[in-house]
Structure formats: structure tokens, C-alpha cells
């Protein structure tokens, strides 16, 4: 079978695993830094199997984290606070 690759690159990344308890739930995250994301980070929610490439501007976008991680505004409050600290 013939494949047409748009790209097939290998690069070193920095991965950070973070687990913390928020006001209403626990968060288990994997955070990947790579030059491919243009200053943003790939944040994987390990418990719920959801992920997004996030920058400081995305954290402040109303409803964005709630949509991406399929959580309520209240459940996302602690995550938003942590990401603000991480990306500042």
C-alpha cells in the first residue's frame, strides 16, 4: 500500500506529569513541550482521555477549557488556575 506522508518527524520533547486535587476533583495531567507547538503545550487529561494544544491566550478564552475537556465551568476552575501559573 502506498502512503503519502505530509510529514514524519522525530523530535525530543519535555514531558511533565502532574497530579493535584482541586476543590471538586483530582487532575492527572501529562504536559508535553515541543517546538512543534509554537510556544504552546500539549495538555493531556489522563483520566478522561482528552487533550488540547494550549497557550496562555487559550486559557483565558471563555468556555474553551470546558469544551475541550468536557467539564463544567466549576470543574474547570482549578485546571484554569493551574494552567495560568504554568504558562505565565
Amino acid at each position: 500500500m502506498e502512503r503519502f506522508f505530509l510529514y514524519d518527524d522525530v523530535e525530543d520533547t519535555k514531558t511533565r506529569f502532574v497530579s493535584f486535587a482541586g476543590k471538586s476533583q483530582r487532575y492527572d495531567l501529562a504536559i508535553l513541550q515541543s517546538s512543534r507547538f509554537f510556544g504552546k503545550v500539549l495538555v493531556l487529561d489522563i483520566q478522561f482521555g482528552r487533550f488540547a494544544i494550549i497557550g496562555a491566550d487559550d486559557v483565558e478564552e471563555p468556555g474553551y477549557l470546558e469544551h475541550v475537556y468536557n467539564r463544567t465551568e466549576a470543574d474547570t476552575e482549578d485546571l484554569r488556575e493551574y494552567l495560568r501559573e504554568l504558562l505565565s
Side-chain angles (χ1 to χ4, degrees):
M1 182 164 119
E2 188 174 324
R3 289 188 176 87
F4 176 73
F5 290 98
L6 296 177
Y7 57 84
D8 182 3
D9 301 333
V10 176
E11 73 174 71
D12 292 326
T13 62
K14 181 179 177 184
T15 305
R16 178 178 182 177
F17 293 95
V18 178
S19 180
F20 66 92
K23 295 178 191 110
S24 62
Q25 63 184 312
R26 173 181 166 163
Y27 295 87
D28 293 297
L29 307 173
I31 301 161
L32 287 81
Q33 292 177 312
S34 166
S35 61
R36 182 167 299 275
F37 305 134
F38 306 102
K40 296 186 177 194
V41 294
L42 177 61
V43 181
L44 293 90
D45 180 335
I46 297 168
Q47 287 182 324
F48 291 89
R50 298 186 65 103
F51 60 91
I53 298 171
I54 297 177
D57 57 330
D58 301 311
V59 172
E60 302 306 328
E61 185 69 31
Y64 181 72
L65 295 179
E66 292 82 356
H67 173 74
V68 168
Y69 294 108
N70 195 30
R71 296 190 185 188
T72 66
E73 186 176 347
D75 288 343
T76 311
E77 185 179 322
D78 295 314
L79 177 60
R80 179 171 276 110
E81 185 178 313
Y82 171 74
L83 292 174
R84 278 183 184 132
E85 292 171 15
L86 176 73
L87 298 169
S88 62

